[in-house]
Amino acid sequence: MNALDRYIIKEVLKGTLIALIALYALFNIFTLSDELRSRGVGDYDLKHILMYMGLMIPHYLYELMPSAALLGSLFVLGGMANHRELMAMRVSGVSVLGIIRAVMMAGMVLVTFSYLMGEFIGPDAEKKAKVLRSIAKTQRPVTRTANGLWLRDGNQFIHVQDIYTEGDIANITIYELGDDRRLKKLINAQRGKFLDEGVWKLSGVKTSLITKNRVSAENVAEKVWYSVVEPDVVDVVLMDPENLSLHDLSKYIDFLQDNKQDSAKYELAFWARLINPMVTLVMLLVSAPFVVGVGRGVALGPRMMMGILIGMSFNIIDNAVGQMGVVYGLSPPFVAVLPSSLVLLAALYAISRLR
């Protein structure tokens, strides 16, 4: 790596960081506005809102990275073009591909950062944020552990191991204590579905009654469970498929397939999440033809508007193709790769024209 490569890498990373901060600040304005509408619900106050927004930072950084890379590279490379730095590099013998190679090296740093945010930090921080907001709003104790969710309803302590969709839970254990604080009833249920306010239907239920002298057990196929626990309290750890880690998505896809349920939506989310960090590299490639092939003197505003339009158009098309793929039963890997591949081919064609 020569001095020019290091210079381009440093400038692209700096520009992306500035764009990322700007996009995050803009996005936070809308997030803060939405959260302030819930201020005063339960104990949810400004302190909880700020803590919630802080925990959501890794998620937003992951989501905004491709757009930030596009805007940052347009800003930096455009500035180099306007100050004739790119021309000087070309005259000194650096090819277009040499410049793009240095930009891609910066992209690999951004991809690594995005992957760490999206897989190891973002999902867990988002779950903690949802738990914090739910406890503040509902004033009900909720604890999330590696083995599931713990809640309390009066003298009942409830453990939910698996949460699938809104109002749909599995592997539930209910510990009910007597007035003497001793365990008097233990209920294990394979599945639970929310029916109406305060009413759940448990299936595959085993009930154990515990007294000083004996323990009796009863097995029933279904049982109605009356509880003040609502789905919005249980669902604090449930996130959209797009926000789950690859590991969590893989586990849930296996569960759905083992139970003969449709997993297309989650398979698409799995492949989209696998490919999403690579979209950052595609966005960096897209920026090159609009800078290297454009003469100096082009103002910063048009370049930024160009980047915003490209980023918005890509997101709209990507979401539309994904929804069409689910509706028409197309292959999830194909649907996830198609938009990025088309943009990549267009960028490579434009770069070949520059050469």
Side-chain angles (χ1 to χ4, degrees):
M1 184 188 301
N2 56 38
L4 282 178
D5 287 340
R6 289 194 294 271
Y7 173 70
I8 293 174
I9 291 171
K10 182 185 73 173
E11 291 301 310
V12 170
L13 292 178
K14 187 192 302 181
T16 301
L17 177 61
I18 293 172
L20 191 59
I21 293 173
L23 287 174
Y24 174 71
L26 181 63
F27 193 86
N28 252 4
I29 293 174
F30 299 103
T31 303
L32 179 61
S33 177
D34 290 338
E35 293 302 319
L36 285 175
R37 295 194 187 110
S38 301
R39 186 181 180 186
V41 177
D43 291 333
Y44 198 53
D45 55 14
L46 185 59
K47 181 186 73 173
H48 291 102
I49 291 174
L50 295 178
M51 291 174 63
Y52 170 80
M53 293 175 63
L55 287 169
M56 291 295 291
I57 289 176
H59 167 71
Y60 293 142
L61 294 182
Y62 173 81
E63 292 291 333
L64 295 171
M65 181 59 73
S67 299
L70 175 60
L71 292 174
S73 58
L74 284 172
F75 175 81
V76 168
L77 296 178
M80 289 182 179
N82 285 342
H83 291 91
R84 299 199 175 188
E85 292 179 77
L86 293 183
M87 183 182 296
M89 294 178 191
R90 298 287 303 278
V91 171
S92 65
V94 179
S95 66
V96 172
L97 291 182
I99 296 172
I100 294 174
R101 182 196 64 190
V103 174
M104 290 298 102
M105 291 170 69
M108 291 306 300
V109 176
L110 298 176
V111 166
T112 302
F113 175 80
S114 181
Y115 179 77
L116 291 175
M117 288 293 107
E119 287 303 306
F120 301 105
I121 302 176
D124 190 56
E126 184 176 355
K127 289 176 182 178
K128 290 179 180 178
K130 288 192 171 186
V131 169
L132 181 146
R133 183 171 61 175
S134 178
I135 292 175
K137 284 185 175 181
T138 63
Q139 299 177 312
R140 296 189 182 281
V142 181
T143 304
R144 189 188 68 84
T145 68
N147 297 318
L149 189 71
W150 283 93
L151 309 101
R152 181 177 179 180
D153 178 11
N155 62 344
Q156 290 185 339
F157 293 84
I158 305 152
H159 176 245
V160 181
Q161 182 172 328
D162 300 306
I163 304 170
Y164 299 129
T165 58
E166 185 176 356
D168 186 3
I169 57 181
N171 297 320
I172 310 113
T173 304
I174 304 169
Y175 303 88
E176 184 174 333
L177 304 184
D179 295 334
D180 58 356
R181 313 304 295 171
R182 294 179 180 272
L183 182 64
K184 72 172 187 178
K185 183 187 292 187
L186 176 64
I187 301 174
N188 295 102
Q190 295 177 357
R191 202 71 179 250
K193 287 186 177 293
F194 182 74
L195 298 179
D196 199 356
E197 184 175 355
V199 182
W200 292 76
K201 182 180 75 172
L202 303 181
S203 57
V205 184
K206 178 181 179 181
T207 304
S208 300
L209 298 176
I210 304 170
T211 63
K212 293 182 179 180
N213 301 321
R214 57 177 295 192
V215 175
S216 59
E218 178 188 24
N219 295 323
V220 295
E222 292 184 350
K223 179 177 181 177
V224 175
W225 174 41
Y226 297 96
S227 174
V228 297
V229 175
E230 299 288 335
D232 59 346
V233 178
V234 178
D235 292 343
V236 294
V237 297
L238 183 66
M239 297 187 294
D240 294 332
E242 294 80 5
N243 300 334
L244 292 171
S245 67
L246 289 171
H247 178 261
D248 291 337
L249 281 169
S250 178
K251 284 178 58 179
Y252 191 39
I253 290 169
D254 290 340
F255 168 81
L256 291 175
Q257 291 177 345
D258 290 342
N259 289 273
K260 311 300 181 184
Q261 298 183 45
D262 183 20
S263 63
K265 178 181 178 181
Y266 294 88
E267 289 183 62
L268 176 61
F270 176 87
W271 285 98
R273 193 164 190 85
L274 188 65
I275 293 167
N276 187 68
M278 298 298 112
V279 175
T280 300
L281 295 179
V282 175
M283 292 294 103
L284 289 173
L285 272 179
V286 167
S287 68
F290 291 103
V291 175
V292 180
V294 177
R296 68 184 295 268
V298 178
L300 179 62
R303 294 186 196 275
M304 294 298 100
M305 184 59 65
M306 188 186 309
I308 292 171
L309 289 175
I310 292 172
M312 290 178 61
S313 300
F314 176 81
N315 287 331
I316 292 171
I317 294 172
D318 189 35
N319 290 332
V321 171
Q323 295 299 324
M324 291 175 61
V326 173
V327 171
Y328 292 103
L330 302 178
S331 170
F334 171 76
V335 172
V337 171
L338 181 61
S340 300
S341 298
L342 293 177
V343 174
L344 176 61
L345 291 174
L348 293 176
Y349 173 75
I351 291 171
S352 68
R353 296 293 298 272
L354 292 178
R355 294 180 61 194

